[in-house]
Amino acid sequence: EIGAIFAEVRKRVRYTWDPLDYDAFQTPAKTLSIHAGDCDDVVALLGAMLRSVGYKVRSRVVRTSGNSTWNHIYLLVQVPTTKQWMPLDLTVAQPPGWEVPSSMVQELRDFDVSESGDAARAVSQVM
């Protein structure tokens, strides 16, 4: 199920960069409607979709080599059968389970995701 949701979002949403002069954020519904978003946008969408069917998710922010600020975010989902956290990064052409290599990571932080049902309802209305 996790893989199917991951594949569906990858099929529907094209990764795109934010404008150069600011960091833009959009709702999951907006990401689906324009079929595009950056890393934080796909984290919000994929997280809302997975939470709407009962999965626990976390977001992971990283600062990679050569960057002075946090420069990437991707999702972690808890696999119910193993209780392990699996990375899901839609911004690269890699399967579920792939994440930024530790040799490139200078800092990382994980954040538990807790949201109201509003985001999940918004996603289900657009789908």
Side-chain angles (χ1 to χ4, degrees):
E1 187 173 49
I2 294 168
I5 293 169
F6 180 87
E8 189 64 25
V9 173
R10 174 170 277 162
K11 182 174 80 174
R12 290 176 179 254
V13 178
R14 178 179 55 85
Y15 175 73
T16 186
W17 293 90
D18 273 334
L20 292 176
D21 56 342
Y22 66 95
D23 193 8
F25 298 94
Q26 60 198 31
T27 65
K30 177 77 172 187
T31 301
L32 280 174
S33 71
I34 65 172
H35 302 283
D38 71 349
C39 58
D40 50 60
D41 302 323
V42 295
V43 162
L45 172 59
L46 187 58
M49 292 179 78
L50 288 166
R51 283 184 51 81
S52 75
V53 293
Y55 290 97
K56 292 181 182 179
V57 298
R58 291 179 175 163
S59 58
R60 174 168 284 170
V61 292
V62 296
R63 183 176 66 83
T64 58
S65 304
N67 288 285
S68 60
T69 61
W70 301 100
N71 61 306
H72 189 47
I73 185 170
Y74 53 95
L75 203 65
L76 302 173
V77 62
Q78 189 176 51
V79 179
T81 54
T82 65
K83 303 297 183 202
Q84 297 294 312
W85 291 93
M86 179 172 57
L88 299 173
D89 191 341
L90 282 162
T91 67
V92 293
Q94 296 291 336
W98 183 92
E99 67 182 313
V100 177
S102 59
S103 61
M104 294 177 59
V105 175
Q106 297 297 304
E107 288 184 87
L108 69 81
R109 293 177 85 181
D110 290 347
F111 297 90
D112 287 331
V113 175
S114 176
E115 60 187 285
S116 71
D118 295 339
R121 279 193 296 277
V123 170
S124 67
Q125 290 171 358
V126 174
M127 296 295 286

